[in-house]
Amino acid sequence: MDSLTSESISEPKTIFLKNYSVPEYLVDTVILDFDLTETKTTVRSELKIRKNPASESNSSNLELNGQNLKLIAITLEAINEPSSLVKTLTESDYLLENESLVISDVPEFFILIITTEINPKENLALEGLYLSSNMFCTQCEAQGFRRISYFPDRPDVMALFTVTIHADKQHYPILLSNGNKTDSGDEGKNRHWVTWQDPFPKPCYLFALVAGNLYCQQDVFTTASGQNVDLYLYVEHENKHKCEHALMCLKQSMTWDEETFGREYDLNNFMIVAVNDFNMGAMENKGLNIFNSSCVLASPETSTDADYYRIQGIIGHEYFHNWSGNRVTCRDWFQLSLKEGFTVFRDQQFSSDMNSAAVQRIDDVNILRNAQFSQDAGPMAHPVRPQEYIEISNFYTVTVYNKGAEVVRMIHTLLGNKGFRKGSDSYFKRHDGQAVTVEDFVNAMESENNIDLSQFMNWYHQAGTPKIEFSESYDAQAKRYTLTLKQFCAATPGQETKKDFHIPIRVGLLNSNGETLSLDLSGEDSCSGEQECVLELKQNEQRFTFDNISEKPVLSLLRGFSAPVKITTQRPRSEMAFLFANDPDDFNRWNAGQELALDIILSLIKEHQAGHDLKLDKEYVNAFRKTLNNSSLDNALKSQALGLPSESYIADQCHIADTDAIHDVRIFIRQQLAKNLEADLLTLYNSFTISGDYQFNAKDMGQRSIRNTCLSYLMELDNADYHKICVEQFKNSNNMTDVIAALSLLVNHDNEYRENCLASFYEQWQHDALVIDKWFAIQATSRLPATLERVKSLMNHSAFTIKNPNKVRALIGRFCLGNIAQFHNSDGSGYQFLAEQVLSLDKLNPQIAARLIQGFSQWRNYNDNRQQMMKQNLDKIISEDGLSKDVYEIVSKTLA
Ligand code: PHE
Ligand code: ZN
């Protein structure tokens, strides 16, 4: 009793990268047998185990992980020993603790058979084996397999899996696991069984099982070498009309990975299952991907362009993991970015090739700027390869994923496309079938290219976003332009001082007509006669000299966002406006517009705080008008160019984030633009009416996007005509993109349209959970002051359940993380709401609870009043008994 209490109160323990050691025992084969029932599933696991020859430990104790398991029986049979008896183990042969099972005195080679019982129905954490809408499914990454059976649950233990599933025939006609189906049969009492065998050794985090009554949409893909692969998409019967897009994207992904990375698929079948209750987007289990239904199901009437686009990226992402993650996996969870950063880079390149490269790049950079930069500047800042964690689930972050992808992208920039491909070929060849580290990846890249990436490794070791300052000088006589770059990185938790980064900075120079100058970079042969150069900033301060420059040039810096850094040197507005109009680099042209807008916003915030009347810069209105009416500009890009920086990005740029002022100023600017450009906006809105069926293609998406951007500005005006247009669009569109665009504008205005449209939308879509998530989300992000009250009452709506992560994200998540102004209401109501939700969710699903705490992560960037209230709520959470490791880690680090 005493020891139990002290264990549950003691602080959760920290795991360190520096303490890694190889596994003491290896598992060669795993034979699993599942007898499935909803509340009591029996799992029999037969493991063939041997001492790891690479281990230096001379202990003969075998340590297995296990969590929430009921141990029924263990037997052990030594192999190769004279008297290889099967021995049933008793309590004196092992030590059973809360999260482990240690079996003492095991031989060098043996077979261990462990029987356990689990309760899938009670599993609301959605890790391990659980029930979701009448189907069984699993989630084992990162450490979910230990909730299924006792096992060395670490990615460097790789085994061959054979899995037999027994279940009720009527309720669970479909029984799936990894690899190939090898046998099946009936066993009476209305039950049947199926056996699956995976020919590839894999870590247990890639294990998957699904059982349900599912519709299956089939397709085939022929690989470059002529192998036929059967493709299966399993969904609930009511979703059979939502399969087409995902299957198309899957075939696109398979072709793309062959053409771009030389990677072919390696099994005869590839299965995807859609489940309604899932903590993340999707999971790359070998041959059996499991997807959050929101990331795979699509139809024009129910899904937006953004949904179609995201699905394409995620289908690609999970498919690409088959090589970057499965064939070559991670040695330990500190190496998470080895598979995630690389795979995000791969899915970004895929989306970029399938759609518009510039739009994709802008989206990627927006994620970094809106979420990663603030993580890097806050209390949870960690390197792309963290050095410690309490709960690994907390490290599936924008830093590991998206900054990790930027780090891989920088390697790509430094090596060029060909060099990068040689490096990745070598990586896959050297390490196929292995569990490896970030160093192995970088070494493979180095080995095929004449480059030293040792300083570059700092991107993996050091947290924080580097800041770059620049200064320029032009010598007209010598026709010489000199650019001086300086880098600086602020301290982050646990890292007081930083070493210099190796930063690729892509630059171009323009003349006063906006024409590109050809570059002659002294001391650097690789860049003469080019239109742009990649400068390698490695020192704290470095000077780059360009010759034969006949007039003072305008610098286009960090093209394509060639490194995840912040440029801190202020430029005159005239220069930003010039680049906004003229930079031939699409990304930089957009970026110049964003910088210009940000500069204006920040100065208007000061005016607003001083109680002055606000006036919008005429030059900015003109630049905006030019962009709006530029008929040669791609619509999707134009729409991006007309968007203002987000409230959260603006908040990050402020010393003290005054969310009310940010919100007011942003709306003021939007209103001014709408007033000044009303006729142009309306003309542009009317010039695109897309007739015919919905299509997911760049042209139509671009038209929908620019149209809805125009409508959103017009809706800033106090003019009933636009409300009517908006209602018309809401009622008459044949696609969810236009419907939701209209509805999300209508919900900002307290008039009869709002409630009518919300009610008719619900009426029409109440049977479709994914559409109802949108209905929750747009109400949670409304500008109206009573939004929190609305959110609270929607939590009592029959369509809401706190057990479903998509619902939590749509309603609670969108309010706390996506409605900045109202969440930070100075009365503290938003903070109190968040703390209450975190505490009640933590008892059900700790991963989802922990993610919500992000709402408090920047608490030190607010005024005293808000700081105090946020801190009080954090204190309240941390003082609660029985917190999960997940929530404990985030809250304690946020407070530290
Ligand atoms: N590995 C998954 C991906 O990135 C994400 C994931 C992690 C899903 C943990 C579930 C649990 O594709
Ligand atoms: Zn991934």
Side-chain angles (χ1 to χ4, degrees), residues 344-387:
V344 171
F345 170 74
R346 277 150 57 67
D347 84 56
Q348 291 176 348
Q349 295 294 85
F350 166 63
S351 293
S352 170
D353 288 349
M354 295 297 117
N355 307 289
S356 147
V359 170
Q360 175 65 30
R361 191 65 192 131
I362 290 169
D363 286 348
D364 297 341
V365 172
N366 273 329
I367 295 178
L368 275 185
R369 285 190 177 152
N370 293 330
Q372 201 281 324
F373 281 10
S374 57
Q375 182 163 72
D376 241 353
M380 273 298 290
H382 54 276
V384 168
R385 181 170 62 191
Q387 280 133 14

Side-chain angles (χ1 to χ4, degrees), residues 284 317-318 321 340 401:
E284 70 265 21
H317 181 98
E318 306 311 330
H321 267 316
E340 296 304 345
Y401 274 64

